[in-house]
Structures are given as structure tokens and as C-alpha cells.
Amino acid sequence: MMKTSVCKIDEKLSGEELSSLDVIREAGAIIRAGGLVAFPTETVYGLGGNALDADASAKIYAAKGRPSDNPLIAHVADEQGVIDIVKEIPPKAERCMEAFWPGPLTMIFEKKEIVPYTTTGGLDTVAVRMPAHQGALALIRAAGVPIAAPSANRSGRPSPTTAKHVEDDLLGAIEMILDGGSADIGVESTIVDMTCDPPMILRPGYITQEMLQEVIGEVDVDPTITDANAKSRPKAPGMRYRHYAPKAPLTLVEDAEDGQMAAKAICICAGEAAGNGERVGIIGTEEYLEQYRESTAAFPNVIIKSIGRRSDPEAIAHNLYGVLREFDDEEVDRIFSESFESNHLGRAIMNRLSKAAGHQVICAEKFFTDSVRK
Ligand code: TXA
Ligand code: MG
């Protein structure tokens, strides 16, 4: 085990102020020397190493316990950082950079030779992102190299949205953790493949298809995102893995409307399981918390956690991974969760939740017509 130093950086400092901090200089030096530093971004925490150093990338895979055919995203601080590592920037990518960078958008380009295959998981393309977090940008500048950074979780755990989550997974495995508070957005960046035309979304995120289409016209979506039964393989290698599976089986309960009927079905399912002596988790929205509390009041073995207001998808994205991590600590036997409309930011939320549930979904309307509870 190595000693991991955990260092706070003040989110309110300007980029310039951050750049002059000793801890940022030190973190940059660690990366330049081939070591690993976890750092905050606006999406989730990243586990950073020198993207141009094959040994550093290998260390990232090892620290995460991640299969090495799953490529890393290179994080840059300015346009020159992209020019240095990609063969060409198509005009549509240029427009997206202007509209969304720095920000939660990752784009795939043909890579230059300087980027080692270890970083790209053997691919001739490289994923690039300019994060919108002053601490992240200051770190990239201090390192003087593009920073390869997957989410800073052990493989198979939810992405970390706080420095505490990173500590839980990686303490003793990396040199440093920069603690910049809780990550704003809470789900990973949107990934768009710019090597094809029309460009294609490989992973949904905060930047939606609609937002992209406003800037560059037609944008495709990898069919495996919108159709769980699609025959093709996801184009982003990382989307092929089950990714995160909660310790307890997770069931999503959906309805065609505002969640009311799903909440009712969850109350019944949770009550039944709790009556059988199981420890049950409920992931619910603020709108229905009271209903869950009342209907399961007789069962101390039901644990209810709020994921935010249904009317506020940004809050739900922000809380999602934290709530899933909390349930892993609660040692519940099963979890029921409300589901959300799969549009705009909801597409990213449902993409992560469905994966966590292994696509185990109950339709509330069907539940009430099929079951004996008439
Ligand atoms: O928001 C984010 O993107 C965060 C923060 C830290 O920036 N990073 C992140 O990295 O989510 P990671 O490694 O957890 O996810 C990277 C995804 C994987 O699904 C990977 O397969 C895909 O990007 N990817 C990377 N390079 C690719 C390439 N050349 N072609 C296709 N997919 C690629
Ligand atoms: Mg990840």
C-alpha cells in the first residue's frame, strides 16, 4: 500500500489562484513523474495519469481493476491540447468545442501516434474532453500533459461524486486525491463519435441529443442505448460491461405517467418483501416519500432514500451514484427504485439506472392488472 495524501482545494478560487497553489503544483508534478492523482470534475471524480505515458495508463487500469481494452478519456485544458493528440478536428467537432467546452462533452477523434495504445485500449481513436472545473483545468495545466482519466472508482462500483467515494475505493492505491467538494452534475460526460458522419452519441450525458443537434444538425444515437434488445455491440467498449451492479438486486418500477402508480406498486412490493423478513431499500423521489413512509411504517427493515425531486432531473442526476453507494453500505437484500422519463437528461439517468438494475423492470400498470391485488 502506498500513502495517499488527501488535499482540499477551495472550489471558490479562480483558475489563476488555483494554479498558484502548492498542492496543485505538487499534483501536476506527480502526474508528470508517472504517478496517479484523483481530481474533481463537473461530472464525476477522475483518476488521472499522463495520457502520453503508457506506463501511467497501465497503472490506472491496475488501480481501478479495469479491463485494459476499455479506453481512457484524455482531458485537455485548451484547444492546443487537442491539436497535439488528434489527427484532425472535423468542422462539426470544432463547432461543438465552441458551444460546449469546457464542459461535459467527450469527443472521439483519430489519434496521433504520440498517444499510446495503452491509453486508447488498442484503438486508433482517442476520446478527448475539456472539463469545466477550475481545479481540473489547473491540474492539467500544472501537469503540462493531457491527463487520461476514467471515473475514479474501483471497476464495478458506481462513479464517485465526492472525494470520500474516491477514498473508499482507492485509498492506498494512488498518490493523491484532490478534494474539491461534491461533483455538480453527477453523471459522466456525453460521448460523441466525431469520426463518423452524422456524429453518433455513444454514451448519453448532460449534453443531450437535442442540444447537439441545435449546433451541428443530425446526430445519431448508438442503437444499444435506446433499445435494450439491439443486436449490435455498443461502440464505446465501456458500455459493453455491466458496469456497476449494486450488491442487492435492483428493480426499476416504471409507469406511463408521473410515477404515482409506480410509487404505489413499490409500496406493495416493499411491504411484501419486508413482511418476509427481508431488508428492503426504496429509491424514491421527494414527491412520494411521505407515501413510502406511511405505507411501510410497520417495517423498520425498510430503508427509504430520496433521490431528489422528480420535477428536478438535475438533482436526480446529482444524487444518483451517492444513493446507490449508500445502499451498498446498508446491506439490504433488495432495492426498488422509481424510474424516469428517458428524454433529455433523463436518458442519461435511465441509462445508468437500467444498467445498475441489469434491465430488471416492472411496469406498474401491468403489475396492477396482472396481479391478484384488484
Ligand atoms: O465525465 C467523464 O467522462 C468522466 C470524468 C472523469 O471526465 N470520465 C469517465 O471515464 O467517465 P470512463 O473511463 O469511466 O469512461 C470512458 C468511456 C468508456 O465507456 C470508454 O469505453 C469510452 O469512454 N471510450 C474511451 N475512448 C474511446 C474510444 N476511442 N472509442 C470509443 N469509446 C471510447
Ligand atoms: Mg467509469
Side-chain angles (χ1 to χ4, degrees):
M1 289 258 286
M2 68 174 85
K3 188 185 170 311
T4 304
S5 34
V6 182
C7 308
K8 279 220 171 0
I9 52 171
D10 187 344
E11 303 146 80
K12 283 172 219 82
L13 293 180
S14 69
E16 231 166 274
E17 287 166 325
L18 283 160
S19 294
S20 66
L21 293 180
D22 283 343
V23 37
I24 292 288
R25 292 212 183 106
E26 197 190 318
I30 292 173
I31 299 236
R32 248 194 333 278
L36 304 186
V37 176
F39 62 96
T41 82
E42 78 279 28
T43 57
V44 301
Y45 273 71
L47 171 57
N50 181 354
L52 304 182
D53 175 351
D55 293 337
S57 297
K59 276 193 207 166
I60 292 177
Y61 291 111
K64 273 183 69 90
R66 169 170 175 155
S68 57
D69 62 349
N70 188 2
L72 310 174
I73 296 173
H75 293 67
V76 299
D78 48 38
E79 187 159 358
Q80 188 58 45
V82 195
I83 294 168
D84 289 344
I85 59 175
V86 312
K87 273 202 181 138
E88 70 165 326
I89 302 176
K92 286 181 185 174
E94 191 91 51
R95 297 221 290 279
C96 285
M97 285 162 63
E98 261 165 46
F100 302 114
W101 275 9
L105 176 70
T106 295
M107 288 184 273
I108 311 280
F109 301 94
E110 304 284 343
K111 80 172 188 72
K112 275 188 180 156
E113 228 164 89
I114 186 176
V115 184
Y117 281 113
T118 330
T119 300
T120 66
L123 299 175
D124 287 313
T125 53
V126 60
V128 190
R129 163 163 127 82
M130 190 190 294
H133 188 288
Q134 290 304 333
L137 291 169
L139 174 65
I140 300 164
R141 287 195 197 98
V145 291
I147 297 186
S151 48
N153 50 284
R154 287 276 306 167
S155 199
R157 296 264 290 151
S159 294
T161 52
T162 67
K164 171 71 171 46
H165 295 161
V166 181
E167 282 181 48
D168 289 343
D169 284 13
L170 295 173
L171 210 66
I174 61 179
E175 278 83 354
M176 190 188 257
I177 298 172
L178 292 174
D179 178 354
S182 113
D184 259 358
I185 294 176
V187 292
E188 305 85 342
S189 62
T190 305
I191 301 180
V192 181
D193 188 350
M194 288 293 175
T195 66
C196 49
D197 202 26
M200 183 187 275
I201 295 176
L202 308 188
R203 179 174 74 182
Y206 187 83
I207 306 290
T208 63
Q209 183 180 17
E210 293 81 2
M211 289 160 79
L212 289 161
Q213 277 172 336
E214 242 171 68
V215 175
I216 53 170
E218 194 183 350
V219 173
D220 287 342
V221 179
D222 189 322
T224 59
I225 292 170
T226 43
D227 175 9
N229 301 315
K231 286 193 190 73
S232 53
R233 262 155 60 92
K235 254 176 113 180
M239 301 289 278
R240 288 173 203 155
Y241 299 103
R242 171 78 186 279
H243 231 164
Y244 161 69
K247 287 182 191 158
L250 167 65
T251 304
L252 298 183
V253 185
E254 60 175 25
D255 67 26
E257 309 232 335
D258 57 359
Q260 179 94 54
M261 199 177 275
K264 253 174 141 171
I266 289 176
C267 288
I268 294 172
C269 294
E272 272 178 10
N276 291 334
E278 287 189 321
R279 223 170 126 72
V280 183
I282 295 178
I283 299 177
T285 53
E286 290 288 329
E287 283 86 339
Y288 301 117
L289 282 194
E290 210 34 58
Q291 193 174 326
Y292 296 130
R293 286 203 193 100
E294 276 173 20
S295 81
T296 63
F299 301 110
N301 47 334
V302 174
I303 295 127
I304 303 157
K305 289 192 193 288
S306 170
I307 192 168
R309 289 199 76 78
R310 178 166 277 276
S311 57
D312 183 0
E314 307 214 346
I316 292 170
H318 177 85
N319 296 329
L320 174 66
Y321 286 131
V323 168
L324 290 171
R325 274 182 182 258
E326 283 177 29
F327 269 125
D328 276 350
D329 296 338
E330 292 277 2
E331 315 223 308
V332 287
D333 299 303
R334 67 182 64 252
I335 308 168
F336 296 99
S337 172
E338 287 175 40
S339 28
F340 304 94
E341 235 184 301
S342 218
N343 60 7
H344 308 289
L345 181 53
R347 180 176 274 173
I349 294 168
M350 282 308 289
N351 171 261
R352 310 307 193 272
L353 260 181
S354 313
K355 282 185 159 223
H359 301 285
Q360 202 174 185
V361 181
I362 292 179
C363 162
E365 284 87 356
K366 205 162 173 300
F367 174 81
F368 284 108
T369 43
D370 285 3
S371 64
V372 280
R373 330 153 210 279
K374 285 167 196 154

